[in-house]
Amino acid sequence: MARELIENGTLAVSELATNAYRLAEGLDPCTRTVSPELWIWARSYPHQALVVTVFDGYQTPPPQETGSALWAEHGRGLNIVAAVSSSWGSHPSRARFTSPPVIGKAVWFTLPLPPTWRHRTRIADPRRTAVQLHALLAARGIGGIIRKDARAVSLVSVPCGLNIRVQPTTFTLNDTNGVTIRRPLVDLHDLAELVVQRTEEITP
């Protein structure tokens, strides 16, 4: 990865982490939950990108960019993230490193991966991949998951109404609104995070 991208990523992580810690400092100590968490993984869809996420355990409104100039002393954090990354956003999520997992929000950004990064189409036993997905979701506190295996396909059903078909090369997610989302198997962690996000958005 080019030095400029590494520097941009370092700057963006610093801004998101600072925002998360400032949020914690501004809350009543009795309401503080967990320390911020840093998550990083590569994904191949819709394009090759490094996904960098800072999670905080607070169900506060999603952050917004401000009108502050990039050189301003305060209020510029997300403006900087937007300026140095390919994309950014936030969504409800659950902690990865606490037990039981705390519900909060994930603020993320992406950086392009270099052309030399090439993912190989992963062909795997659907049963084994379904077991991995089940384990990732269970570790995030999602219970009541049902897994059914058949020849060349497995089905993972989440109580909130999400169904994920696992085939030798792809995941296919169908939600209660009839939306269909497909992902390659190499994007296992990205797919698991999407399921956690949808679970929090759907669950009242």
Side-chain angles (χ1 to χ4, degrees):
M1 182 173 283
R3 178 182 294 274
E4 181 181 2
L5 286 178
I6 294 174
E7 292 175 349
N8 286 346
T10 301
L11 177 59
V13 166
S14 175
E15 294 296 335
L16 293 187
T18 298
N19 286 349
Y21 277 105
R22 282 179 176 170
L23 172 62
E25 290 175 354
L27 296 176
D28 185 324
C30 295
T31 65
R32 294 178 187 172
T33 53
V34 296
S35 297
E37 299 179 359
L38 176 64
W39 311 334
I40 303 174
W41 64 79
R43 73 179 179 200
S44 63
Y45 181 90
H47 49 261
Q48 297 179 168
L50 189 69
V51 183
V52 183
T53 303
V54 172
F55 171 86
D56 67 68
Y58 305 101
Q59 300 179 57
T60 51
Q64 303 290 331
E65 292 180 57
T66 68
S68 301
L70 293 181
W71 55 85
E73 185 174 353
H74 300 291
R76 61 176 187 161
L78 291 177
N79 297 31
I80 291 176
V81 173
V84 302
S85 64
S86 299
S87 59
W88 78 275
S90 66
H91 60 260
S93 189
R94 298 186 181 192
R96 291 170 176 257
F97 307 135
T98 62
S99 182
V102 171
I103 297 173
K105 67 178 178 296
V107 186
W108 55 268
F109 66 88
T110 63
L111 295 172
L113 286 168
T116 52
W117 188 86
R118 289 284 186 271
H119 80 276
R120 295 182 178 179
T121 299
R122 181 184 174 192
I123 301 176
D125 177 4
R127 296 184 185 185
R128 180 175 299 179
T129 305
V131 168
Q132 292 176 322
L133 177 60
H134 188 164
L136 287 173
L137 298 177
R140 307 289 290 280
I142 298 178
I145 299 172
I146 298 174
R147 195 182 78 249
K148 297 181 179 179
D149 301 314
R151 186 175 182 179
V153 64
S154 291
L155 179 67
V156 178
S157 298
V158 182
C160 65
L162 297 176
N163 295 296
I164 305 101
R165 292 178 61 200
V166 185
Q167 296 172 289
T169 60
T170 60
F171 296 105
T172 303
L173 183 151
N174 297 100
D175 67 16
T176 54
N177 296 321
V179 176
T180 299
I181 298 172
R182 290 183 175 84
R183 294 288 187 273
L185 292 191
V186 293
D187 288 352
L188 171 63
H189 288 279
D190 205 58
L191 187 280
E193 180 62 23
L194 177 60
V195 172
V196 173
Q197 174 188 345
R198 289 298 183 91
T199 297
E200 293 306 319
E201 291 173 342
I202 294 172
T203 304

